[in-house]
Amino acid sequence: MKKVLMLLIILFITGCTNNNKVATIIKEESSMLIGINYPITNTKLDMKIEKDINKIQSDFKNKYQSPNSNTKAELNIDYNINEFKDYISVVLNVYISSPKIDKNIEYVITYMYDKKNKKILKNNDIIDINNSKYIIKEELLKKYKNIKISTIDALINNSLIGIDPEYINIYFNPTEFNNLISIKIPNNNIKLKINITSEQINKVFNKMEVKSRVIDPNDKVIALTFDDGPSIYTEEIIEYLHENDCNGTFFVLGNKVKIYSDIIKKSISYGNEIGNHSYNHKWLIKLSEKDILDQINKTQNILNSVAGYTPTILRPTYGSTNDIIKNKTNLDVVLWNVDTMDWKYKSVNKIVARATKNLKDGNIILMHDTKYRTLEAIKKIVPILKENNYTCVTISELKEINLIRKIQNEK
Ligand code: ZN
């Protein structure tokens, strides 16, 4: 007897506009892992940020990668962006670990862009450090009790500023006396030289769209999965899948969810599944338990607040997992059995060939929705799947189908 699987998807759509995008560079080589996300603002700031990132990458390759070691070196760059009516504040967080150094390196780079005058501002243009010294000192000593009083003035003179709608974030990069430290001061407690009025973004929750899909559990199925997104290519991928009655699974990075919230919501409304791929693509197995859970929970929380959606599946970064990842979260770890290597191979035909070479019922195919060539490849892969009578399903659909088949076999 045929059983039919029905899936109901309920979602909330919110309206919100955003012009910023995120660039992603993820590389995995025998001696190093690189995970970089940075904002694209469509201003003069982009050239400066790209130049800095290129410099960090080449320094990292020269100084820290270690071809003869069992452990890979890792470079991770994460970002924070806050856009106001007249200004854009960007903070890059740089993290380096390597078998060549005892202690991980962590520091920040900050940028403040004046949209009206098309100018990158310096610290002095943002706040009058001398006038704010007292409150900065007070906050520093409150938060870091062991700080050496004699080093405070030097620290403050080298401080960096990032601004969000509620706080002035002040960063102090590592010196011989301290690691990277930071304090937050409420906006109205400190006098700024710039006027950061923010435009209110209206968040309207429109209830509720229901989409249903019918899958015969005896059909041949395949799961297309996409990591590291969303990106500027994701929308066209989900539109193409939608036109072809395909659903896929998108393992997203938490630090991109806000900027691409509309695309994520559209993706969910089309019946795609969203999975967790950490917050900023750090190599999870190298982190402490607290930091692993932090990476995962931050992404869960942001998907929940932005899209009312809670993932049930996790794909750990670089496909490497451990007992903490497996046992300390309630997410199922999902890897893959077909790797298209689309992050590495530039040839679309090669990616298509790798995806479709050994088609098998229940396969999970790994791709990345951060590359134009993956979008091109998908437009060739899906027709081949259809010719061979495969239905593209999400990971949760695949699990449910496997369960129904198991029950059928036991009868
Ligand atoms: Zn990844």
Side-chain angles (χ1 to χ4, degrees):
M1 193 191 80
K2 267 188 181 177
K3 275 193 187 172
V4 170
L5 168 68
M6 289 272 289
L7 291 161
L8 293 179
I9 293 137
I10 298 162
L11 68 140
F12 303 87
I13 297 175
T14 72
C16 133
T17 53
N18 207 321
N19 296 321
N20 296 318
K21 299 281 174 275
V22 186
T24 296
I25 305 167
I26 311 266
K27 287 185 200 160
E28 184 177 359
E29 285 172 27
S30 58
S31 62
M32 61 176 177
L33 303 173
I34 294 182
I36 299 174
N37 290 290
Y38 63 93
I40 300 168
T41 61
N42 296 312
T43 69
K44 268 163 70 182
L45 194 54
D46 293 346
M47 253 170 60
K48 169 84 178 121
I49 292 177
E50 252 162 54
K51 203 175 140 209
D52 289 350
I53 292 211
N54 287 338
K55 170 108 180 27
I56 297 167
Q57 271 200 87
S58 63
D59 282 354
F60 169 74
K61 285 178 189 168
N62 293 336
K63 277 192 213 157
Y64 300 110
Q65 71 167 328
S66 159
N68 303 319
S69 165
N70 292 328
T71 309
K72 296 171 195 237
E74 181 186 5
L75 167 64
N76 186 282
I77 303 179
D78 187 16
Y79 72 93
N80 218 312
I81 181 168
N82 281 286
E83 182 157 1
F84 303 92
K85 187 166 158 280
D86 299 324
Y87 299 95
I88 303 172
S89 167
V90 174
V91 179
L92 295 184
N93 298 274
V94 182
Y95 165 96
I96 293 168
S97 75
S98 162
K100 288 185 167 177
I101 43 174
D102 301 333
K103 214 173 86 181
N104 297 341
I105 297 170
E106 275 191 274
Y107 63 92
V108 303
I109 307 173
T110 60
Y111 308 88
M112 182 69 72
Y113 186 71
D114 178 339
K115 293 198 272 189
K116 256 191 200 154
N117 299 309
K118 296 187 171 34
K119 208 179 113 192
I120 298 171
L121 302 183
K122 298 202 174 72
N123 254 13
N124 292 338
D125 305 322
I126 307 166
I127 68 174
D128 185 339
I129 280 283
N130 277 327
N131 273 337
S132 315
K133 241 179 196 167
Y134 181 76
I135 181 164
I136 297 173
K137 259 187 201 174
E138 201 182 12
E139 288 297 320
L140 261 175
L141 288 166
K142 225 195 280 170
K143 191 166 168 193
Y144 302 98
K145 304 216 160 51
N146 296 329
I147 212 159
K148 278 199 176 123
I149 305 280
S150 59
T151 65
I152 283 189
D153 277 340
L155 266 182
I156 292 177
N157 288 336
N158 292 309
S159 58
L160 297 167
I161 311 274
I163 297 183
D164 67 38
E166 285 168 60
Y167 291 97
I168 314 289
N169 298 290
I170 306 178
Y171 303 90
F172 309 90
N173 272 334
T175 66
E176 55 179 310
F177 302 108
N178 60 280
N179 297 326
L180 168 67
I181 56 179
S182 67
I183 54 171
K184 280 170 175 296
I185 300 178
N187 273 344
N188 18 355
N189 291 7
I190 205 161
K191 197 165 159 32
L192 290 180
K193 289 180 171 176
I194 59 174
N195 182 10
I196 50 149
T197 48
S198 58
E199 282 160 351
Q200 195 62 36
I201 295 168
N202 285 326
K203 285 211 163 178
V204 187
F205 278 83
N206 306 322
K207 285 192 185 173
M208 132 197 325
E209 187 177 315
V210 179
K211 188 193 157 164
S212 66
R213 178 165 137 105
V214 180
I215 303 162
D216 182 338
N218 298 309
D219 280 354
K220 292 193 292 181
V221 293
I222 232 157
L224 300 172
T225 67
F226 302 87
D227 290 6
D228 300 346
S231 82
I232 49 170
Y233 308 115
T234 307
E235 188 164 22
E236 209 175 326
I237 292 175
I238 62 169
E239 289 296 352
Y240 180 81
L241 294 179
H242 188 56
E243 282 161 23
N244 288 280
D245 202 24
C246 275
N247 281 353
T249 302
F250 294 79
F251 290 94
V252 303
L253 294 175
N255 68 0
K256 297 162 97 177
V257 168
K258 254 192 195 147
I259 283 183
Y260 292 106
S261 61
D262 287 353
I263 288 165
I264 287 177
K265 279 177 267 182
K266 192 194 246 185
S267 187
I268 297 165
S269 78
Y270 285 173
N272 295 306
E273 181 165 14
I274 307 297
N276 188 323
H277 192 45
S278 84
Y279 185 76
N280 59 25
H281 216 279
K282 272 192 185 151
W283 194 13
L284 293 181
I285 57 165
K286 286 283 152 181
L287 301 179
S288 67
E289 177 171 333
K290 184 191 164 290
D291 287 346
I292 290 174
L293 297 179
D294 204 49
Q295 285 272 334
I296 293 167
N297 293 336
K298 258 169 103 176
T299 299
Q300 294 293 100
N301 293 342
I302 198 165
L303 278 164
N304 213 305
S305 76
V306 161
Y309 185 93
T310 308
T312 59
I313 50 176
L314 167 78
R315 176 164 285 161
T317 50
Y318 305 105
S320 40
T321 186
N322 63 15
D323 285 345
I324 299 170
I325 296 169
K326 274 186 252 166
N327 303 330
K328 295 280 164 116
T329 80
N330 48 13
L331 302 177
D332 273 349
V333 171
V334 176
L335 299 175
W336 58 86
N337 61 348
V338 178
D339 187 351
T340 60
M341 301 285 277
D342 59 341
W343 62 274
K344 192 171 181 182
Y345 294 129
K346 298 206 164 70
S347 152
V348 173
N349 288 339
K350 196 164 184 176
I351 296 165
V352 175
R354 289 185 65 95
T356 56
K357 190 170 53 180
N358 294 312
L359 285 181
K360 224 182 93 215
D361 186 27
N363 270 355
I364 300 175
I365 300 177
L366 169 65
M367 281 172 286
H368 298 82
D369 53 324
T370 51
K371 303 272 181 215
Y372 181 68
R373 54 185 181 254
T374 300
L375 165 64
E376 288 182 291
I378 269 295
K379 291 180 179 175
K380 294 185 172 185
I381 292 167
V382 168
I384 296 171
L385 296 179
K386 283 180 151 179
E387 275 163 34
N388 288 279
N389 297 316
Y390 279 92
T391 304
C392 308
V393 296
T394 66
I395 293 294
S396 288
E397 287 170 336
L398 179 63
K399 280 193 206 163
E400 211 160 334
I401 288 163
N402 284 335
L403 188 69
I404 293 173
R405 287 176 181 175
K406 196 173 158 234
I407 294 166
Q408 281 177 345
N409 282 340
E410 280 166 2
K411 273 187 186 160

